């Protein structure tokens, strides 16, 4: 079955996943992680993309980001990808592709699923066995969103601001959400929606999206369409 074209819309958050080729390592040490963070910051500024959350793992990185324009997000990811491959190949004496094909992405309902998606990203290092708690991992946005450290890379989404009237209240609310965590089913839904390009949102959100594009935004139900009754 042909792969669906990515759906990118201005002013809506997107969940993006880019993995190493055949699960290969894309970050070897702290210098590599730092280079990626610098590139994300530079290209986000250049192409008008707000990054709300990130998680860099040895063989993949995931982002939650909102573009100012529909063109800004693919330009951002293309520039990050090309620049990082040049850096990585030069530094580590290798050649050829680094990525496992094109990046995957989907549109996320900011009211219903943005915070859950942020929580899912923060638990990625724990699920991968890289940390005992989200706070223990240096290469994710948890520390910033929980008030443990600060980075200019992260820009809070209005859904995050709605957690409280003060920075302390928002940070406490977010830490509580992360501590509560998500079910395995919720995590699977969030990740598979991004990998397959299906919109993640309420029925009304999905219906509104479908009215804006001819591209299918959710998976079709299994089975053949119902047969029309031709009886006069």
């Amino acid at each position: 079955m042909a792969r669906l074209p990515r759906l990118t819309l201005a002013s809506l958050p997107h969940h993006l996943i880019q993995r190493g080729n055949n699960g290969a390592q894309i970050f070897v040490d702290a210098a590599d992680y730092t280079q990626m963070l610098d590139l994300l910051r530079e290209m986000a500024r250049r192409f008008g993309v707000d990054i709300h959350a990130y998680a860099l793992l040895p063989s993949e990185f995931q982002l939650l980001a909102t573009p100012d324009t529909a063109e800004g997000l693919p330009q951002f990811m293309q520039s990050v990808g090309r620049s990082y491959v040049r850096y990585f190949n030069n530094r580590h004496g290798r050649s050829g592709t680094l990525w496992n094909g094109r990046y995957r992405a989907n549109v996320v309902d900011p009211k219903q699923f943005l915070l859950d998606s942020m929580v899912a990203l923060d638990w990625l290092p724990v699920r991968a066995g890289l940390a005992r708690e989200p706070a223990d991992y240096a290469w994710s946005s948890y520390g910033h969103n929980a008030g443990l450290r600060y980075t200019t890379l992260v820009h809070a989404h209005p859904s995050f601001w709605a957690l409280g009237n003060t920075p302390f209240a928002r940070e406490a609310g977010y830490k509580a959400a992360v501590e509560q965590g998500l079910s395995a089913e919720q995590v699977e839904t969030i990740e598979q929606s991004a990998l397959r390009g299906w919109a993640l949102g309420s029925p009304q959100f999905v219906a509104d999206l479908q009215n804006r594009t001819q591209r299918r935004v959710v998976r079709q139900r299994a089975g053949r369409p119902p047969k029309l009754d031709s009886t006069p």
Side-chain angles (χ1 to χ4, degrees):
M1 184 174 65
R3 183 178 294 172
L4 287 172
R6 281 189 298 263
L7 176 64
T8 306
L9 297 172
S11 304
L12 283 173
H14 298 66
H15 181 185
L16 305 105
I17 300 176
Q18 180 68 78
R19 290 175 168 168
N21 189 34
N22 294 322
Q25 199 168 9
I26 61 174
F27 304 113
V28 174
D29 54 24
D32 290 345
Y33 287 106
T34 300
Q35 176 68 17
M36 175 57 78
L37 293 177
D38 289 343
L39 281 172
L40 292 173
R41 184 182 295 105
E42 176 188 350
M43 300 307 176
R45 187 181 303 114
R46 180 181 301 180
F47 294 108
V49 175
D50 283 346
I51 296 176
H52 313 304
Y54 65 84
L56 313 185
L57 279 69
S59 61
E60 71 175 89
F61 68 90
Q62 298 194 26
L63 310 172
L64 285 164
T66 298
D68 290 341
T69 65
E71 298 78 19
L73 199 59
Q75 291 172 343
F76 160 76
M77 287 296 288
Q78 183 181 69
S79 295
V80 168
R82 288 179 175 176
S83 297
Y84 187 77
V85 170
R86 286 196 299 269
Y87 155 84
F88 190 87
N89 285 353
N90 288 337
R91 181 168 188 253
H92 296 287
R94 67 181 301 277
S95 61
T97 184
L98 181 63
W99 308 121
N100 187 28
R102 66 180 192 168
Y103 70 91
R104 306 298 181 90
N106 70 321
V107 182
V108 177
D109 183 343
K111 294 181 179 179
Q112 187 162 332
F113 283 100
L114 180 68
L115 289 175
D116 280 356
S117 297
M118 291 175 63
V119 171
L121 261 63
D122 284 332
W123 279 101
L124 275 173
V126 179
R127 296 200 305 273
L130 301 170
R132 293 185 61 185
E133 299 290 340
D136 298 333
Y137 195 68
W139 309 111
S140 78
S141 53
Y142 175 81
H144 175 89
N145 288 320
L148 304 178
R149 55 182 178 268
Y150 174 76
T151 174
T152 57
L153 175 59
V154 174
H155 294 264
H157 189 274
S159 294
F160 183 86
W161 280 82
L163 287 172
N165 293 325
T166 67
F168 178 80
R170 289 188 289 272
E171 292 158 5
Y174 186 68
K175 285 191 284 188
V178 172
E179 288 172 3
Q180 180 178 343
L182 302 170
S183 69
E185 183 179 1
Q186 287 175 303
V187 171
E188 180 73 6
T189 296
I190 289 169
E191 186 161 286
Q192 288 302 313
S193 295
L195 290 173
R196 299 177 185 277
W198 303 129
L200 182 64
S202 67
Q204 185 61 57
F205 178 82
V206 170
D208 290 343
L209 279 187
Q210 194 62 79
N211 287 333
R212 297 172 62 177
T213 178
Q214 294 183 341
R215 184 251 202 214
R216 287 184 291 115
V217 300
V218 293
R219 183 173 61 179
Q220 289 181 325
R221 292 183 178 180
R224 296 180 179 178
K227 192 172 182 180
L228 295 178
D229 186 358
S230 58
T231 304

